[in-house]
Amino acid sequence: MILRILLIDMFIIAICMYLLLLGASKCKTAEEIEMEDKEQMEQLKNNCNCRRQKNDK
């Protein structure tokens, strides 16, 4: 009985967290989205460069 209640609560919390994250991403302005895209591209470039340097050694 207690296990069933816990599972239902966890399921409800998971749905609420999903909706919260989904809503947070829709509230961003075009500038914020563009800035995040640039940051992600820089991270990918840096990560690729680090991997190439390790492979060259």
Side-chain angles (χ1 to χ4, degrees):
M1 180 69 178
I2 294 174
L3 181 61
R4 189 177 295 171
I5 293 171
L6 286 174
L7 287 174
I8 291 170
D9 286 345
M10 288 176 20
F11 185 71
I12 291 171
I13 290 171
I15 290 173
C16 291
M17 291 298 293
Y18 173 75
L19 292 175
L20 180 72
L21 292 172
L22 184 66
S25 66
K26 291 191 178 209
C27 294
K28 294 180 182 176
T29 63
E31 292 174 355
E32 289 174 325
I33 293 171
E34 185 177 337
M35 189 181 308
E36 283 186 356
D37 289 345
K38 287 180 182 178
E39 290 174 355
Q40 289 176 358
M41 289 299 289
E42 288 176 13
Q43 286 292 336
L44 288 172
K45 287 178 185 177
N46 290 338
N47 199 9
C48 288
N49 288 339
C50 290
R51 287 184 182 171
R52 286 183 187 157
Q53 290 174 355
K54 287 179 183 178
N55 289 337
D56 290 341
K57 289 182 179 180

